[in-house]
Amino acid sequence: MKHKSIIWALGLLLAGGLMLGSCTKNDDNTIALIGTEYYIDDILAVVSDSAFLANFGSYPHGSIPPKIEGSYVMDPKQRVYSNVQGWPLTLVEPNVYLRFGKQHNGVAVMDLNEATEQVTDTVFVMGNNDDFTVYFVEDKAYDVPFDNTTYHVKMKRGVIMKGKVAETGLANFRMASVIMEIEDNSNGALSQYPVGSYFIYKDGDNLAENFEW
């Protein structure tokens, strides 16, 4: 794995504010130095066009993020933009259910559930006042049946979420998924999205509502 910090990839967003010398709990057995977590390495370094930020928008950064703990639903999940050719936009996809807990400053545990994803992972949180950004990297493996053969695919994706903590949920909520690595054993039989492909979504009514699930 490369070790370029997203501090550079995000235009020094974390410089100074995250206090590189401090520590925070990652899980029950791990201590992570803030600003050095491998979860945030290279998420945006693979994105080669300026359209990402033009469509995702600016994202909050800072060393004192708000408490995002709670359960939420992204309903409807609305496609916003992708750099993948022929990818249809403005379509509504299955709901995304999110739960954040065990937050300790800039680290939290997240459960994510949607039609094709069930994820529990440590995530990192930055922001100021009620505005926040959440980011993490997921390593996933899955099988794809094609032409009477089942191929094994490995993919690493970076996920970035942003919004504003509100009384009724997460306002102005957006989520982006960036393909960082992908490989399979099909010898070219499968057509894969290239590294750097990204997909941007928003909550269709601009509020990921509080929702116990």
Side-chain angles (χ1 to χ4, degrees):
M1 176 181 294
K2 298 177 182 177
H3 289 285
K4 299 176 183 176
S5 175
I6 200 173
I7 294 172
W8 305 107
L10 297 182
L12 299 179
L13 286 179
L14 304 181
L18 287 182
M19 298 176 293
L20 298 181
S22 62
C23 295
T24 185
K25 269 283 190 181
N26 187 333
D27 54 38
D28 291 339
N29 302 306
T30 305
I31 295 293
L33 294 176
I34 295 179
T36 64
E37 307 90 346
Y38 73 88
Y39 293 90
I40 63 174
D41 289 352
D42 295 335
I43 292 180
L44 292 186
V46 299
V47 176
S48 60
D49 65 50
S50 60
F52 180 90
L53 291 181
N55 288 277
F56 186 72
S58 60
Y59 37 87
H61 57 281
S63 59
I64 309 177
K67 279 289 186 181
I68 60 171
E69 292 179 337
S71 297
Y72 312 95
V73 60
M74 189 179 183
D75 176 19
K77 177 187 177 185
Q78 177 76 57
R79 297 181 183 184
V80 174
Y81 186 79
S82 174
N83 62 349
V84 176
Q85 294 293 324
W87 195 70
L89 301 178
T90 66
L91 295 179
V92 173
E93 297 191 1
N95 294 348
V96 177
Y97 299 89
L98 293 163
R99 183 185 298 116
F100 297 103
K102 299 182 180 179
Q103 184 176 355
H104 180 75
N105 295 330
V107 178
V109 175
M110 179 204 70
D111 295 309
L112 180 151
N113 196 318
E114 57 179 322
T116 59
E117 297 288 338
Q118 291 78 44
V119 178
T120 297
D121 206 343
T122 298
V123 298
F124 294 89
V125 191
M126 58 184 178
N128 279 307
N129 298 319
D130 293 327
D131 300 308
F132 69 89
T133 301
V134 171
Y135 44 91
F136 68 99
V137 169
E138 177 195 12
D139 288 301
K140 57 188 297 186
Y142 53 94
D143 293 326
V144 177
F146 178 75
D147 197 21
N148 298 318
T149 304
T150 298
Y151 299 107
H152 190 63
V153 180
K154 294 181 179 180
M155 183 176 73
K156 177 185 293 183
R157 69 164 184 159
V159 177
I160 304 173
M161 306 173 186
K162 71 168 186 175
K164 183 182 184 72
V165 175
E167 183 177 349
T168 54
L170 305 177
N172 303 320
F173 187 76
R174 290 207 171 197
M175 178 172 70
S177 177
V178 181
I179 295 178
M180 301 171 65
E181 296 178 11
I182 190 164
E183 61 180 27
D184 61 61
N185 62 345
S186 72
N187 294 316
L190 291 179
S191 177
Q192 298 286 8
Y193 296 132
V195 170
S197 299
Y198 60 82
F199 309 87
I200 301 174
Y201 308 90
K202 69 176 181 178
D203 190 286
D205 59 6
N206 290 319
L207 179 71
E209 294 91 347
N210 296 327
F211 185 81
E212 293 298 328
W213 58 277

